Amino acid sequence: MAERVRSEKDLVRRANRHLAVLRHAEEISGNVAATCRYYGISRTVFYRWKQCYEDEGIDGLKDRSSAPLHCPTITHPQVVEKIIHLRQHHHFGPLKISMYLRRYHDQEVSASTIYRILQRLRLSRLPASQRYKRHQQRWKRYEKQRPGHQLQIDVKFVEPITTDAGRKKRYYLLHRDR
């Protein structure tokens, strides 16, 4: 998203145009509605320009940023740094980042907020080499030279919970490792 940066000349030129509209209504037509129709602006804009000119002079007619001066719900920059670190170094998704921040940093950040932050920073998609792969692709089956090679079996006696006096049956648990 390329932001357009206006030069000081351009700001002065636009302020002079606004001043010309105000003077046209005052000196030439004498009618605000006719002037607004002629220049293709609304009367609300005209009166806003007029109020700014009366308050601040020609500097009041210059374009200003429409960004808010205070935003109480903005995510703290340190939290954004943690989100970026977790994404780049551990390849966590929004849900896992949210859980991690809640558990280890006592930060409550929703997964949707984390997703928007990642999208804004163009980190929402991982490279193909780091994405989750299905089990068929991820697991590699291996075969050994001899049957039973690297096979371990553990046998454990399990005492039955119910004790019948006449019953002498034993239970065993078999556990096989590769």
Side-chain angles (χ1 to χ4, degrees), residues 27-46:
E27 298 169 0
I28 298 173
S29 71
N31 186 347
V32 173
T35 301
C36 291
R37 274 194 305 275
Y38 179 76
Y39 283 100
I41 61 170
S42 68
R43 284 183 285 179
T44 307
V45 170
F46 176 85

Side-chain angles (χ1 to χ4, degrees), residues 69-169:
L69 297 176
H70 177 68
C71 186
T73 59
I74 195 165
T75 307
H76 199 275
Q78 289 178 342
V79 176
V80 174
E81 286 177 18
K82 289 176 187 174
I83 291 170
I84 293 168
H85 176 79
L86 290 171
R87 181 61 168 188
Q88 290 179 337
H89 293 90
H90 301 288
H91 311 299
F92 287 172
L95 288 171
K96 204 165 190 180
I97 291 173
S98 174
M99 180 275 309
Y100 187 90
L101 290 175
R102 188 179 321 112
R103 181 176 288 171
Y104 298 110
H105 297 285
D106 293 328
Q107 297 284 332
E108 281 290 331
V109 183
S110 70
S112 59
T113 301
I114 292 171
Y115 180 73
R116 280 194 301 273
I117 290 169
L118 292 174
Q119 230 178 358
R120 184 178 67 228
L121 299 171
R122 298 177 193 256
L123 295 172
S124 61
R125 291 194 50 93
L126 287 171
S129 62
Q130 298 166 356
R131 289 193 197 131
Y132 173 79
K133 294 182 182 135
R134 293 189 177 188
H135 291 299
Q136 295 95 8
Q137 298 167 352
R138 196 171 43 167
W139 291 345
K140 185 178 178 185
R141 195 175 170 138
Y142 64 93
E143 294 182 11
K144 294 295 176 182
Q145 297 84 4
R146 295 186 317 255
H149 185 70
Q150 284 192 338
L151 181 70
Q152 176 184 348
I153 297 178
D154 294 334
V155 180
K156 181 175 177 166
F157 170 68
V158 181
E159 186 73 34
I161 294 175
T162 59
T163 55
D164 293 336
R167 193 168 173 210
K168 295 287 183 188
K169 187 158 188 174

Side-chain angles (χ1 to χ4, degrees), residues 48-75:
R48 187 182 321 133
W49 289 349
K50 184 176 179 183
Q51 186 66 44
C52 288
Y53 182 68
E54 290 171 357
D55 292 344
E56 302 174 37
I58 191 75
D59 288 336
L61 295 176
K62 290 182 180 178
D63 289 340
R64 299 178 188 152
S65 173
S66 61
L69 297 176
H70 177 68
C71 186
T73 59
I74 195 165
T75 307

